[in-house]
Amino acid sequence: MSDQKTEVNIGSIQANQSAFAIGDNNTVTTTNHLGQQVKDATEALIEALKAHDIPQDTRKDLIGTVQTAAAQAREDKPNKTLIQILMTTVKTMVSAFEASPALITAYEAWAHALHPVCLT
């Protein structure tokens, strides 16, 4: 059996925020670069939750949920389904009481920071 290789011109390849390799014996390693953005947005949302008039138990639960989602987003292999569930939970809880514009803005920034993790 000969060791012949066939070359094929595929044209243009785009890998938006994704890793890929072409050829033999390649290894692709991806790195989550969103860590600082997620951290900053998480801290801002937690501060907004602390400043808002929310029952203490609810605030504690919300902060824990936000921290869990953020920690998962910073993992090398984040669980996208879990992050989406946690984001939905936080959104639902924030919507359950009359949220201030600052809290809504903080939530939206946090969700925006986590969103790319769910797409990769």
Side-chain angles (χ1 to χ4, degrees):
M1 179 172 235
S2 68
D3 194 21
Q4 296 179 352
K5 297 185 180 189
T6 303
E7 291 185 26
V8 178
N9 182 355
I10 320 175
S12 175
I13 297 175
Q14 294 181 344
N16 296 332
Q17 298 181 359
S18 300
F20 72 94
I22 297 175
D24 298 330
N25 303 316
N26 288 306
T27 302
V28 175
T29 303
T30 60
T31 305
N32 185 345
H33 296 288
L34 299 171
Q36 189 61 45
Q37 182 180 1
V38 170
K39 181 181 176 192
D40 292 345
T42 299
E43 289 173 3
L45 179 55
I46 289 171
E47 289 305 312
L49 288 167
K50 288 178 180 178
H52 196 69
D53 185 23
I54 304 170
Q56 186 175 354
D57 289 345
T58 302
R59 180 183 296 116
K60 182 179 176 185
D61 290 346
L62 267 169
I63 290 172
T65 303
V66 167
Q67 290 171 330
T68 300
Q72 185 59 228
R74 289 189 303 266
E75 292 288 328
D76 289 336
K77 293 183 179 182
N79 182 327
K80 299 170 197 173
T81 303
L82 178 59
I83 294 169
Q84 289 172 337
I85 290 168
L86 295 171
M87 288 172 64
T88 300
T89 300
V90 172
K91 182 178 182 178
T92 301
M93 292 177 77
V94 166
S95 299
F97 46 84
E98 190 175 325
S100 68
L103 180 56
I104 293 169
T105 300
Y107 168 78
E108 290 172 350
W110 178 75
H112 181 74
L114 292 177
H115 188 70
V117 176
C118 298
L119 297 177
T120 58

